[in-house]
Amino acid sequence: MKIDRLIGILSILLQQDKVTAPYLAEKFEVSRRTINRDIEDICKAGIPIVTTQGQNGGISIMEGYRLDKTLLTSRDMHSILAGLRSLDSVAGTNRYQLLMEKLSVGSQEVLTSNDHIRIDLSSWYKSALVPKIELIQNAIEDCRLIAFRYYSPKGEGEREIEPYLLVFQWASWYVWGFCLMRQDYRLFKLNRMMDLECCREVIDKRILPPYENEADRPFPIRFLVKARCKPSIKWRIVDEFGPETLEELPDGDFMFTAGYSDKENLFCWILSLGDQIELLEPCEFRGELAELGHRVYEIYR
């Protein structure tokens, strides 16, 4: 897009004293004539550009009209580039790599030095997530509805929403928007969305409420769980809930205590740990869990 190229040219001019039109043409894969038109457009926008002829000639911004490069320190640039790399890990394109190159023109060592942070937002479902993320991004930018079939614990059904925000949270991707069926703002998990499409209908953007990302909003704590655990599963509980949820008992076992939001998920978690855990509270769940275990036994016996 032209605006991206103009921003890229400005970035280069702000970080280098002088560049040539052939250099810019090769950098942005356009003709020299296109670069000349771009320079004219930048001048019309009020940014004074100077062109000089001859062996040491080139294109530069008028002396004195220059952003203070100290606005972004080297550490600032490293933080920005780490974030951009994380977006490229899931985007499926190299748009953020190109943006990284634009930001680091004249300071190429920023791309290679102190490269000690890696944030990978991709997942096992990357091939399915990438087109969904791209479609939702385009829908947000174009102010269009999206429609999809959604699978939830309460069943499945067709939904239409006004998308406003892509969210990576709780190790998964979500879209936050206004659900036309519920007439309220909802969070939808991308992995549960099928037959996703961007509608032709253009929406008028709403005055948005703040996005609340506290864990107890979508997953409110409904009951307290206590369970006796064997030392062999300590690593998993520490990994999933944190060491503060465990208390060592005199016999070497551990007492697990934590708030939980969903009984079905709790049962699945307990069963996944086999005979290395015993649910103690809520005590009314013990009978239900025993009945579930019996039904599983009947299937496999």
Side-chain angles (χ1 to χ4, degrees):
M1 295 177 61
K2 182 174 181 178
I3 186 64
D4 293 331
R5 190 171 64 251
L6 293 177
I7 293 172
I9 293 173
L10 269 177
S11 177
I12 292 174
L13 293 176
L14 286 169
Q15 296 182 66
Q16 296 193 37
D17 292 334
K18 188 179 295 183
V19 296
T20 64
Y23 169 82
L24 293 175
E26 181 180 359
K27 184 72 175 176
F28 295 99
E29 299 180 348
V30 294
S31 66
R32 291 181 59 179
R33 181 174 296 180
T34 298
I35 293 297
N36 291 335
R37 287 197 295 265
D38 289 341
I39 296 300
E40 291 178 6
D41 290 337
I42 293 173
C43 289
K44 291 176 182 178
I47 300 174
I49 303 295
V50 177
T51 58
T52 54
Q53 305 296 323
Q55 184 176 359
N56 297 319
I59 303 168
S60 61
I61 296 179
M62 181 180 294
E63 187 176 354
Y65 191 92
R66 188 174 295 272
L67 289 177
D68 186 354
K69 293 181 183 179
T70 62
L71 290 175
L72 285 178
T73 66
S74 177
R75 178 169 292 184
D76 293 334
M77 285 292 291
H78 287 306
S79 299
I80 292 171
L81 297 182
L84 291 175
R85 287 191 187 98
S86 71
L87 293 173
D88 243 355
S89 69
V90 75
T93 67
N94 64 345
R95 78 167 65 171
Y96 299 105
Q97 174 66 32
L98 295 175
L99 181 53
M100 286 162 54
E101 292 176 359
K102 292 176 185 177
L103 287 173
S104 60
V105 167
S107 304
Q108 288 297 318
E109 69 277 3
V110 173
L111 283 175
T112 54
S113 65
N114 295 327
D115 187 12
H116 57 272
I117 298 177
R118 277 288 186 271
I119 306 172
D120 192 340
L121 302 182
S122 60
S123 73
W124 294 108
Y125 310 101
K126 184 174 182 179
S127 60
L129 280 174
V130 167
K132 289 180 182 178
I133 291 173
E134 186 173 0
L135 185 148
I136 293 171
Q137 279 183 314
N138 292 334
I140 293 173
E141 292 172 1
D142 297 338
C143 299
R144 296 185 183 275
L145 289 173
I146 59 173
F148 51 90
R149 187 164 190 80
Y150 196 65
Y151 296 82
S152 72
K154 297 181 180 179
E156 59 184 85
E158 305 295 332
R159 297 291 186 96
E160 284 189 345
I161 71 167
E162 301 171 5
Y164 291 110
L165 189 64
L166 271 167
V167 181
F168 183 79
Q169 196 168 348
W170 309 298
S172 296
W173 282 95
Y174 299 81
V175 58
W176 180 75
F178 189 82
C179 177
L180 300 189
M181 184 175 75
R182 301 297 185 190
Q183 287 295 297
D184 199 2
Y185 294 92
R186 290 288 190 274
L187 198 64
F188 296 92
K189 193 172 185 178
L190 267 60
N191 280 343
R192 297 180 183 174
M193 298 165 60
M194 299 295 292
D195 304 323
L196 176 65
E197 61 178 344
C198 182
C199 304
R200 292 186 177 182
E201 182 179 353
V202 178
I203 60 176
D204 294 325
K205 281 192 173 181
R206 300 173 184 267
I207 299 176
L208 301 178
Y211 171 71
E212 304 288 353
N213 64 351
E214 291 87 350
D216 61 351
R217 286 184 177 269
F219 310 114
I221 294 175
R222 293 189 172 92
F223 49 83
L224 185 69
V225 171
K226 286 192 174 184
R228 176 182 282 268
C229 309
K230 296 296 183 182
S232 61
I233 60 170
K234 178 181 178 181
W235 67 272
R236 183 166 166 187
I237 295 176
V238 169
D239 179 42
E240 297 178 7
F241 295 92
E244 64 277 4
T245 61
L246 290 175
E247 177 186 354
E248 189 169 2
L249 301 175
D251 61 1
D253 285 353
F254 290 89
M255 181 63 69
F256 167 72
T257 305
Y260 228 90
S261 63
D262 183 79
K263 181 173 69 174
E264 286 71 24
N265 284 337
L266 171 64
F267 283 10
C268 290
W269 181 70
I270 292 289
L271 291 174
S272 74
L273 295 171
D275 61 355
Q276 299 301 293
I277 189 170
E278 179 189 356
L279 178 67
L280 302 177
E281 296 180 13
C283 56
E284 62 268 24
F285 288 179
R286 288 173 59 88
E288 293 182 53
L289 188 59
E291 176 61 28
L292 176 59
H294 179 71
R295 292 199 300 269
V296 172
Y297 170 77
E298 288 298 320
I299 292 174
Y300 290 102
R301 72 186 180 91

